Amino acid sequence: MSATTLDAPPASPAQARSQRLRDPAFWADWAALVGLIGLTIVFQSLNSTFLSSGNVQSILVAAAILIILSIGQTYTIATGGIDLSVASVMTFAAVVFGWSFTEGWALPLCMAAAVATGLLAGALNGFIIAKGKIPDFVVTLGSLSAASGLALILSDGKPTTVISPFLLKLSTQGIGIFGWTFLLALVLAALTHVLLFNTRFGTHVLAAGGSAEAATATGISTARIKIAVYTISGTLAGLCGILLVARIGASSPAADTTMTLNTVAAVVLGGVSLLGGRATIIGPVLGALVLTVLVNGLTLVGVSQFYQPLSVGIVVVLAALLMRFQK
Amino acid sequence: MTAATTTQALVSVEDISLSFGSVRALRDVSLTLRPGEITALVGDNGAGKSTLVRCLSGIHRPDSGRIVFDGEETKFSSPEDARKAGIETVHQNLALVEDLTVWQNLFLNRELTNPLGLLDRKAMKREAQRMVSTLAVNVPNVTSTVRRLSGGQRQAVSICRAAGFSSKLVIMDEPTAALGVQETERVEQLILKLREDGHAVLLISHNFAQVMRLSDQVWVMRSGRCVAGRRTAETTGEEIVALITGAKQS
Ligand SMILES: Nc1ncnc2c1ncn2[C@@H]1O[C@H](COP(=O)(O)OP(=O)(O)O)[C@@H](O)[C@H]1O
Ligand SMILES: [Mg+2]
């Protein structure tokens, strides 16, 4: 703010607003929301069925898994780390689900097995990072490969059909246009928001990511924080394994390579610093919605699938450029 | 050292040594700090001052020797233990998290929570405001992030944090090294205020005038050893310099 504005009479709300709109930092903070609104306007004008309740419903359901994985990713990135194994762990958890289902386990047990798989994988990631003092991306790159491999071994490379009325309801029903899986994602977002901003743990996560040295000097154990955030990320990936099975009606060991990149993209779009120490939950949730809307809209207006990864890439790099203006 | 001074010491460091690989950062260092006094620790860069501080504040554990604090031998295994015992440290590299607010930094790892286990933000902000105003610190707003503060304001926040939580000993590692003249003066006022309020202070400084102005006792370190101790009233800046460089042996 320049000195002249200090001397000037108090700006009217309209003036203040227009000044804020000209400030690039404002746009950087709200990149995901701006992108979401912009894309909605573009796609709706190209195809009027875009905002139909049916299409909105399918966008929200399609976004659920990415939202939940991105929340976990946000926690690891908030500590200055990154979890490259989220999608593989999700796949492995799905395969564990399919395997225990075919073994005849009760559904709740299969679900518990999937979540436990993610939890263990995440805890192991965190433990090796914290105690082995190995860079986060090296460890999680290793577990990306290891989890995909375990999924192939356990499933013998073959998909397993999972027929369950409960899972079918989970993936197809809901309240109004909000599918159960999307509502689950929202509940998790609310809980993890409270965890990040209203608990000691959340403050310690941000402190450890902002300055590990300063956090340590006040007695915070950064090792414990690392283990905790990777456990959160893994557990959410395990949960997404169940949602994945529910969505496709089968567990498949085929790795979804773009999913991990999309979680990082959603976090970046959400205005979270890759350096750690600054994070929100709402940002990455909106980021995940932007990416899902982008893919849905492009498909709806008839753009070839081959252009989708390219467009996601462009959006993410543009967002990252905009972030440079962040305060 | 007479038995009388040992018993009235708040801290007595006895023959501690610490090596980092082949670097012998501390060699049989012994010194004492009295309650209610400002004790200065001086020495060239690399003399081992910060390393000694880190032993007192629980970051490092000495290889040998012992530290007696408030009548008890300490076995700090983390900075948390030292803080619990009543030793707060203002580190040389300013242990503040830039992206957190002033109040969040003041309460870092000392957060107040409500019965549900959630942060009591209101109470922390209120208390932070009180801490800042009792020390007459010119911090604009406890809700602004540390990134927006000047060097002097940051130092004031660090000192504020160290002075709070009923600490018995406040250690300051070169608190004015990066500050301008006016900011230095303010921080010196804060240090004197701490002594007035009954805190013992261990002050590390390269500024001899400052040491002579503020301290009651001076300890001199050279190449990992504590080579001399003087009552400030009975020494001069010249003598201290001579002890630091080794021109004069104790
Ligand atoms: N963590 C460490 N690892 C290795 N060497 C260290 C470490 N900390 C300090 N040293 C070494 O110990 C010696 C004393 O350093 P320090 O205590 O920082 O000195 P001062 O604070 O008096 O300038 C120096 O030689 C320094 O390089
Ligand atoms: Mg030093």
Side-chain angles (χ1 to χ4, degrees), chain B residues 20 23 25 44-52 54 60 92 173:
Chain B
F20 298 106
V23 180
D44 258 340
N45 282 327
K49 304 181 298 294
S50 296
T51 306
L52 178 63
R54 293 204 179 98
H60 295 325
Q92 187 167 13
D173 196 349

Side-chain angles (χ1 to χ4, degrees), chain A residues 4-96:
Chain A
T4 50
T5 55
L6 284 177
D7 300 330
S12 73
Q15 266 176 326
R17 207 177 310 130
S18 82
Q19 202 161 45
R20 257 176 65 189
L21 292 182
R22 260 178 282 146
D23 182 0
F26 170 81
W27 295 101
D29 280 341
W30 291 101
L33 189 60
V34 172
L36 191 58
I37 295 169
L39 287 177
T40 304
I41 294 171
V42 171
F43 288 133
Q44 177 65 18
S45 58
L46 290 174
N47 184 328
S48 61
T49 61
F50 179 74
L51 279 181
S52 66
S53 65
N55 194 50
V56 171
Q57 185 174 5
S58 70
I59 288 173
L60 297 183
V61 167
I65 287 179
L66 183 56
I67 290 174
I68 297 172
L69 291 180
S70 301
I71 290 171
Q73 190 68 273
T74 303
Y75 271 85
T76 66
I77 288 180
T79 66
I82 193 164
D83 188 352
L84 296 176
S85 69
V86 275
S88 310
V89 169
M90 170 177 73
T91 303
F92 181 42
V95 166
V96 167

Side-chain angles (χ1 to χ4, degrees), chain B residues 42-44 47 220-227 242-249:
Chain B
V42 296
D44 258 340
V220 182
M221 287 190 72
R222 191 166 69 229
S223 325
R225 296 180 196 280
C226 181
V227 292
L243 287 167
I244 288 172
T245 58
K248 177 179 172 160
Q249 303 294 322

Side-chain angles (χ1 to χ4, degrees), chain A residues 82-157:
Chain A
I82 193 164
D83 188 352
L84 296 176
S85 69
V86 275
S88 310
V89 169
M90 170 177 73
T91 303
F92 181 42
V95 166
V96 167
F97 185 102
W99 175 83
S100 46
F101 192 80
T102 24
E103 289 288 302
W105 296 19
L107 195 62
L109 275 181
C110 298
M111 290 168 49
V115 174
T117 301
L119 186 149
L120 287 176
L124 195 62
N125 273 338
F127 196 79
I128 297 172
I129 290 165
K131 301 292 175 189
K133 300 198 163 53
I134 305 173
D136 305 48
F137 79 93
V138 176
V139 173
T140 57
L141 195 62
S143 47
L144 178 163
S145 191
S148 313
L150 287 171
L152 285 169
I153 293 167
L154 186 62
S155 65
D156 203 15

Side-chain angles (χ1 to χ4, degrees), chain A residues 194 197-200 203-204 206-208 210-211 213-221 276-278 327, chain B residues 54 59 79-80 83 91 93 95-97 99-100 104 108-111 113 117-119 121 147-148 161:
Chain A
V194 170
F197 293 110
N198 294 87
T199 67
R200 298 186 68 199
T203 309
H204 295 182
L206 295 174
S211 167
E213 210 184 358
T216 307
T218 63
I220 294 170
S221 162
R278 281 161 46 142
K327 284 194 186 105
Chain B
R54 293 204 179 98
I59 294 174
E80 175 78 15
R83 291 185 82 190
H91 287 280
N93 44 15
L96 297 178
V97 183
D99 285 319
L100 294 183
Q104 282 175 314
L108 196 53
N109 208 21
R110 288 279 187 282
E111 294 88 354
T113 53
L118 298 180
L119 294 181
R121 291 165 160 262
R147 189 177 290 286
R148 290 160 184 253
R161 178 167 73 187

